[in-house]
Amino acid sequence: MLSPAQASALFVALGAVGVTAQTQSLWDQCGGIGWSGATTCASGSYCFHQNDWYYQCIPGTGPTTAAPAQPTTTAQPTTTLISTTKAPTSSSSTAAAPSPTTSVPSGGGGGGGGGGGVCPNVPSSLGASVSTLPDPFTFAGGQKVTNRDDWACRQAEIKAIFEKYELGTLPAKPTVSASYSGSTLSITASTGGKSISFSVTINKPSGSGPFPAIISYGSYGASIPVPSGVATILFNNDDIAAQTDGSSRGKGKFYDLHGSSHSAGALTAWAWGVSRIIDALELTKSQTNIDPARIGVTGCSRNGKGAFVAGAFEPRIALTLPQESGAGGAGCWRLEAWQNANGYNVQDAKEIVGENVWFSPAFNSYVNNVNQLPFDHHLLVSLVAPRGLYIMENPDFEWLGKISTYGCMGAARKNYQALGALEAFGYSQVGGHNHCSFPSAQSSELNAFVSKYLLGNSGTTTEVFRTDQNLNFNIESWCPWSVPTL
């Protein structure tokens, strides 16, 4: 998947002359309206038709003829959660995973009842394969979530499962010091006799403050329009954990501090960096004039994945704004595998671990059978709920998984439903624009979420779940579980 900077450069360069390369490398552009560069891909990859404006070299041998059109879909109201396709056809078992080694709270974690208030441990094995999306409201051992205290335990279990099987361990908070000069916030983190330092740039609006702020992955600035009255914090996440390709494993300041063999993938390392920024904002509030209780986070494409994980792992983030995060972000691994089995060409778990180091090396063991995982990315949203979350997706790039993200986030929305917080959840899939460029059709939605969750305008209407596509897809067939009232 292209970085926002790479994508921007490629789209600006459409129609450029003087391109001399005869063969495009893996992940490079290889065609599209106005493209005058090479159309042949390096050995082991082929030129895939993402849309009429953009073709990309992706792994594989490719079709022997022109890329097939997307499977035909039929009209369905675009704001509904349910449409009419068949349920997944996998025959995998739906048996419960092994029981945890400690008791699940009964009547709440320590707040009453007979369970003793002990949350379950992470299961030591994966359990049976499940072809549908795992139930957010059932512990790995089979016990049901029935109240808010149980939900807190289930969130802790989900977080630990993500760390163990996909994302790697999020280290504990180190000792943090910070200073602020001009527009630069300098941060030092120390642990185990080692220290690293990095800095972020704060751009503030006019006025007296204190201001809410959006942390933007990538030192070039946010690809979403930041509403007035909100500061931006430019976070060079590549400095914390590199993401050039597979050779980036263990490189970056996070690994200088925690060791090059640390289990955390880049997404987790970046989330750790976001937490250090918020630590620093808490230490320097009087100098920065930034309110650390009103922080958002955003990023696009690969950095959208990062923003999503940061929102999941850092509870001090008030509003999470992932843009075009696709596989490893808003998409579900099971749905991506299902799409590819039904004629689509979508980034999936098998491909993504070979592209970059976003995930823990432990994840590689499961990518060929994602049904065995005790989670999917609708459960990443379980870690954000009920805080503000507005997800922006682009159906024009099938590689991102327009059905996968729609279905996955439709299932994820049920986390907010259970908590009585549907107004805090937004999913908006709008096409007709380039990768990581923001469409005006989403402006009112973005402004509403920022207004409510960062600017404090509580009366703003925010709930949204929509696509501008006619998707013939049944979300409910992937969610054979009931939604409790917690």
Side-chain angles (χ1 to χ4, degrees), residues 105-464:
S106 174
V118 180
C119 289
N121 289 340
V122 179
S124 59
S125 61
L126 290 168
S129 291
V130 180
S131 60
T132 53
L133 298 176
D135 183 356
F137 311 111
T138 300
F139 286 100
Q143 300 89 337
K144 296 294 184 181
V145 172
T146 62
N147 54 52
R148 292 292 180 113
D149 288 335
D150 285 356
W151 177 247
C153 280
R154 176 61 171 148
Q155 285 182 306
E157 180 181 75
I158 290 169
K159 178 177 179 290
I161 287 171
F162 266 105
E163 289 182 273
K164 181 174 181 177
Y165 294 114
E166 181 187 293
L167 296 172
T169 302
L170 181 69
K173 178 182 176 180
T175 300
V176 175
S177 60
S179 62
Y180 182 65
S181 178
S183 61
T184 300
L185 178 63
S186 299
I187 304 159
T188 297
S190 304
T191 188
K194 297 180 180 179
S195 295
I196 60 101
S197 296
F198 67 101
S199 62
V200 295
T201 300
I202 301 177
N203 295 321
K204 290 183 287 190
S206 58
S208 58
F211 303 104
I214 294 175
I215 299 171
S216 175
Y217 276 51
S219 58
Y220 43 82
S223 58
I224 61 171
V226 176
S228 60
V230 179
T232 56
I233 300 174
L234 306 185
F235 171 41
N236 181 9
N237 51 301
D238 291 358
D239 186 40
I240 300 298
Q243 57 167 334
T244 303
D245 52 31
S247 68
S248 299
R249 178 72 66 190
K251 296 180 180 178
K253 290 181 177 177
F254 173 91
Y255 302 101
D256 293 342
L257 186 63
H258 294 288
S260 60
S261 61
H262 195 279
S263 68
L267 300 180
T268 299
W270 299 337
W272 177 92
V274 168
S275 294
R276 305 295 73 82
I277 294 170
I278 299 175
D279 292 341
L281 291 172
E282 291 176 342
L283 292 171
T284 60
K285 181 178 178 179
S286 61
Q287 291 79 44
T288 63
N289 209 19
I290 299 296
D291 183 356
R294 293 186 291 153
I295 299 296
V297 63
T298 192
C300 188
S301 197
R302 58 184 63 195
N303 290 340
K305 306 180 205 301
F308 219 138
V309 172
F313 277 7
E314 176 46 77
R316 291 174 293 179
I317 292 173
L319 179 60
T320 303
L321 299 166
Q323 183 185 14
E324 299 186 44
S325 60
C332 277
W333 302 123
R334 286 168 173 81
L335 284 167
E336 288 145 4
W338 176 80
Q339 280 198 263
N340 283 333
N342 284 275
Y344 292 77
N345 199 322
V346 176
Q347 187 170 43
D348 61 13
K350 295 190 300 295
E351 189 282 331
I352 204 168
V353 296
E355 180 182 346
N356 223 303
V357 295
W358 299 311
F359 306 96
S360 170
F363 187 50
N364 293 18
S365 300
Y366 311 110
V367 297
N368 291 311
N369 182 11
V370 293
N371 287 351
Q372 69 184 312
L373 293 170
F375 65 90
D376 217 316
H377 270 235
H378 66 305
L379 296 188
L380 194 65
V381 174
S382 301
L383 303 180
V384 184
R387 290 174 287 124
L389 174 63
Y390 176 57
I391 302 141
M392 298 154 276
E393 287 294 327
N394 185 349
D396 291 350
F397 293 82
E398 184 49 47
W399 191 242
L400 296 172
K402 64 182 176 184
I403 288 178
S404 172
T405 63
Y406 173 82
C408 190
M409 294 300 99
R413 185 174 181 268
K414 296 174 185 293
N415 292 287
Y416 282 79
Q417 178 185 341
L419 295 166
L422 282 174
E423 76 284 351
F425 180 87
Y427 172 87
S428 183
Q429 186 181 74
V430 175
H433 59 95
N434 290 338
H435 185 46
C436 293
S437 68
F438 186 81
S440 60
Q442 290 175 329
S443 292
S444 61
E445 297 164 357
L446 173 64
N447 289 339
F449 273 86
V450 171
S451 177
K452 177 175 283 188
Y453 296 103
L454 296 184
L455 293 172
N457 298 318
S458 59
T460 306
T461 300
T462 46
E463 179 185 350
V464 61

Side-chain angles (χ1 to χ4, degrees), residues 32-121:
I33 295 173
W35 175 252
S36 60
T39 58
T40 301
C41 294
S43 176
S45 62
Y46 73 100
C47 192
F48 174 66
H49 175 197
Q50 297 274 23
N51 60 42
D52 290 343
W53 291 268
Y54 192 78
Y55 293 59
Q56 185 180 30
C57 292
I58 68 172
T61 57
T64 56
T65 58
Q70 292 299 331
T72 302
T73 57
T74 56
Q76 185 71 20
T78 60
T79 56
T80 61
L81 286 174
I82 306 171
S83 50
T84 57
T85 57
K86 296 179 180 179
T89 57
S90 171
S91 60
S92 301
S93 168
T94 57
S99 296
T101 58
T102 56
S103 59
V104 177
S106 174
V118 180
C119 289
N121 289 340

